[in-house]
Amino acid sequence: MSYPATDQLSSAERAFMINATEIDILPGVWGDLDGPLVSGPASALVPILFPLVDRGWIEVCRLVPWTAPDGTLGEQPGPPIPKQDLPAALANAENWEYPQSGTWLGCLTLTLTEAGQAIPR
């Protein structure tokens, strides 16, 4: 299987790939976008994200509690959200904003799959 280099992706697709590389919560993608998408609605981003998920490059997860070996509490990505549940999760505008509570538990996050990690940067 051949993979495109990231310079063959659109700038919006690269923004999602960067976000997934950083294992950042979904609202972090806004900082990597350029052009009219930055000020547009989140609904305009869903058709850009879905093909990356369909290609098997990105997974959308929720952050779950995690305990480091030294006992430090933190978060890590949980299991991927099933594809049939993604439309509802991505339609929720709150998932595209940083939480007011300051805690990221339960927030949507993007992660690269093994195939996504193989894409040359």
Side-chain angles (χ1 to χ4, degrees), residues 17-106:
M17 295 298 286
I18 289 168
N19 186 274
T21 299
E22 296 171 346
I23 312 175
D24 196 359
I25 64 171
L26 186 59
V29 77
W30 294 109
D32 296 315
L33 291 170
D34 56 13
L37 290 174
V38 172
S39 58
S43 60
L45 300 176
V46 175
I48 299 165
L49 176 58
F50 267 120
L52 299 171
V53 172
D54 287 340
R55 289 179 191 144
W57 297 347
I58 289 179
E59 292 178 325
V60 182
C61 311
R62 289 203 180 273
L63 286 176
V64 297
W66 174 74
T67 304
D70 69 359
T72 304
L73 299 178
E75 303 98 14
Q76 69 178 6
I81 295 174
K83 281 188 184 181
Q84 69 269 16
D85 296 337
L86 273 179
L90 295 174
N92 182 345
E94 288 181 19
N95 286 325
W96 293 88
E97 300 294 332
Y98 284 100
Q100 292 182 2
S101 68
T103 181
W104 291 10
L105 285 177

Side-chain angles (χ1 to χ4, degrees), residues 6-23:
T6 54
D7 62 356
Q8 295 173 327
L9 300 174
S10 72
S11 63
E13 288 171 321
R14 278 193 306 279
F16 280 109
M17 295 298 286
I18 289 168
N19 186 274
T21 299
E22 296 171 346
I23 312 175

